[in-house]
Amino acid sequence: MRVTTVIIGAGHAGLAMSRCLAERSIDHVVLERGEVANSWKTERWDSLRLLTPNWQSRLPGFGYEGDDPDGFRDMAETIAFIERYAEVISAPIETQTTVTSVRSVDGGYEVATDRGTWRARTVVIAVVGASATGTQIAAEAHRSGRPVTVSVGEHVRVPRVYRGLDIKWWMDRCGVLDEHYTEYDNLERVRNLPSPQLAGSDDRHTVDLNSLTDVGVKLIGRMAGLQDGRAQFSGSLPNLCTLADLKMNRLLDRIDEWATDNGLDESAEPPHRFEPTRFEAAPPLGMTLTSGEIRTIIWATGFRPDYSWLDVPVFDRKGRIRHDGGVAEAPGMYLMGIPFLRRRKSSLIDGA
C-alpha cells in the first residue's frame, strides 16, 4: 500500500496532523495500535480530569462547543471529544494496527504493521507527553483514608486561580504558552521540566505541596536508591521547593506586568503572593520498606517512549529522536506531541 504520509498514532496530535494534511490535499493514513484516543482509554486512571479548562481544548478546525468553558473535562468527556474530532475531520484511520518497524527505503519509508506494509514519502510520529499525576494521586489516596508520603523531585508550582482568573487564562493571554523553542539556550532542560502541579476540579482549588501537607500528607526528598529493604532519599527537598517558589513568583510578576500594560488592573483582583512551600527543616533521608508501614508504592515519574520499532538512525545517546522543532534529522520524518516541540504548549491539546 502506498501513500504520501503515514501518521503513527490517533491521539489528538495525530488527528491534528491529519486535519492539516487533508486541508492541503495530501493523501495520508493514520495508523493506531488500538482505538482512537487509545492512551486516554487504557493508560489513565478513571478519576483523572484535564488540568486545562474546556475552552483550551482547541484543535485545528475544532474546539469546545459546550456551556461550561471554564470547567474541566473528565476522562469520558475527553475521550468523547477526541473521538468526535476524528469523526468531524473524517480522518483516514486504521485502528487495531500495530506498527512493528519503520525503515528508510528508496527515498522514503517502509512502515510494517501487523496488518500489512505501507510505503510513504514521509512519516509523522505522533506521541504524547507526560502529565502531572503525583500530587493528584496523593490527594486522592489520602482522601480514601490511607496515610500518604510523597517523595518530591523537581516540580513546577503554580496556583489554579490568580487574581480571580484561571492561571491558564493568564498564561495563554500573556504569551507564556506560545514561547518558542528558539528563545531558550538550554532547550534540553526546558523540555525535561515536569508539567505543573495543577488539577481540574469544580471548585478550582489549588493542588500543591502545601495543600497536601494541610491534610496530613508527609513530604520527603527524591528517592535516591534502595538498599537492604531501606529506601534512601535526597536531601534536596528544601532547595527544590524554594526553587519552585521562585519560579512561580517570576511567572506571577510577568502576569502582573502584562495586566498593567494591558489595562486589566482595575477589572482583575489585586496582585498577591502565596505562602512559601512548607517542609521539614531536616526531612528524613531514609525509610524502611520491610516493616509493613509502607504497603504500596506508586511511581509517578513520567515515561520514555518505546521506539524499538523505529529502524532509522535518528537517536541521541539517551535514545531520544534528534529533531529541530519536530523536524527529525532523517528527511521526511516528523514528530508531534512531545513537550516543547516548538512552543511551551506543544504537548497540550491546545498545542497540537
Side-chain angles (χ1 to χ4, degrees):
M1 295 173 282
R2 292 184 177 273
V3 69
T4 299
T5 302
V6 167
I7 301 171
I8 302 173
H12 71 266
L15 294 175
M17 176 60 78
S18 175
R19 168 64 155 73
C20 292
L21 293 180
E23 281 186 331
R24 292 157 177 78
S25 300
I26 298 174
D27 61 304
H28 64 281
V29 65
V30 183
L31 304 181
E32 170 54 55
R33 59 178 175 159
E35 301 293 336
V36 172
N38 192 67
S39 62
W40 292 97
K41 295 176 179 177
T42 63
E43 299 174 7
R44 305 290 188 271
W45 71 97
D46 293 342
S47 58
L48 173 65
R49 299 179 76 170
L50 289 190
L51 58 80
T52 51
N54 291 335
W55 59 262
Q56 206 171 8
S57 292
R58 298 176 290 205
L59 289 166
F62 194 69
Y64 180 68
E65 299 173 336
D67 56 3
D68 187 20
D70 295 319
F72 301 91
R73 281 196 179 90
D74 60 23
M75 287 306 305
E77 291 168 331
T78 302
I79 291 167
F81 176 80
I82 297 174
E83 289 179 331
R84 175 61 178 156
Y85 185 53
E87 294 175 1
V88 168
I89 66 174
S90 300
I93 305 171
E94 296 286 335
T95 59
Q96 302 299 329
T97 303
T98 301
V99 173
T100 57
S101 72
V102 175
R103 63 190 187 95
S104 301
V105 173
D106 299 330
Y109 294 96
E110 180 184 87
V111 181
T113 79
D114 58 358
R115 297 181 58 197
T117 300
W118 294 80
R119 289 286 186 93
R121 288 172 49 198
T122 56
V123 170
V124 178
I125 301 171
V127 297
V128 179
S131 298
T133 59
T135 52
Q136 294 185 44
I137 293 175
E140 290 191 22
H142 189 274
R143 286 197 299 271
S144 74
R146 296 170 174 83
V148 177
T149 299
V150 177
S151 173
V152 180
E154 185 175 13
H155 57 280
V156 178
R157 183 189 180 196
V158 292
R160 177 76 270 176
V161 175
Y162 181 62
R163 299 184 65 176
L165 295 166
D166 193 274
I167 192 65
K168 287 292 184 177
W169 187 91
W170 288 113
M171 294 173 72
D172 180 70
R173 292 301 180 93
C174 71
V176 173
L177 296 179
D178 281 316
E179 290 174 345
H180 200 263
Y181 75 105
T182 56
E183 299 176 38
Y184 288 85
D185 295 329
N186 191 346
L187 185 57
E188 180 176 357
R189 170 167 172 72
V190 174
R191 283 178 171 158
N192 287 327
L193 284 175
S195 52
Q197 291 177 337
L198 279 176
S201 62
D202 293 334
D203 60 2
R204 298 199 298 173
H205 68 276
T206 293
V207 176
D208 62 5
L209 298 183
N210 280 353
S211 71
L212 295 180
T213 56
D214 283 342
V215 297
V217 173
K218 297 180 181 178
L219 305 182
I220 53 178
R222 183 171 186 170
M223 189 169 182
L226 182 65
Q227 185 173 12
D228 299 327
R230 185 170 177 79
Q232 302 165 336
F233 302 101
S234 167
S236 62
L237 178 62
N239 290 339
L240 291 175
C241 292
T242 300
L243 182 60
D245 290 346
L246 287 171
K247 290 181 177 179
M248 176 181 67
N249 288 326
R250 288 189 199 128
L251 171 63
L252 301 185
D253 288 343
R254 177 171 173 178
I255 289 172
D256 290 340
E257 291 172 5
W258 184 87
T260 298
D261 292 343
N262 288 272
L264 295 181
D265 281 336
E266 294 298 323
S267 58
E269 294 180 2
H272 60 281
R273 293 296 177 265
F274 297 85
E275 178 189 8
T277 303
R278 301 187 301 273
F279 46 82
E280 292 184 45
L285 299 180
M287 178 184 296
T288 300
L289 301 182
T290 56
S291 65
E293 179 184 2
I294 301 296
R295 302 288 298 275
T296 304
I297 297 175
I298 299 176
W299 299 99
T301 54
F303 64 91
R304 289 188 297 270
D306 177 9
Y307 293 127
S308 59
W309 46 269
L310 184 56
D311 300 324
V312 182
V314 291
F315 300 103
D316 63 16
R317 58 186 179 83
K318 293 184 177 181
R320 300 169 301 197
I321 297 177
R322 296 189 300 268
H323 68 94
D324 181 7
V327 181
E329 289 190 1
M333 180 174 290
Y334 305 91
L335 288 176
M336 284 280 289
I338 66 173
F340 224 132
L341 184 78
R342 288 195 176 180
R343 300 189 184 278
R344 185 177 290 277
K345 63 182 180 181
S346 289
S347 59
L348 303 178
I349 291 177
D350 185 43

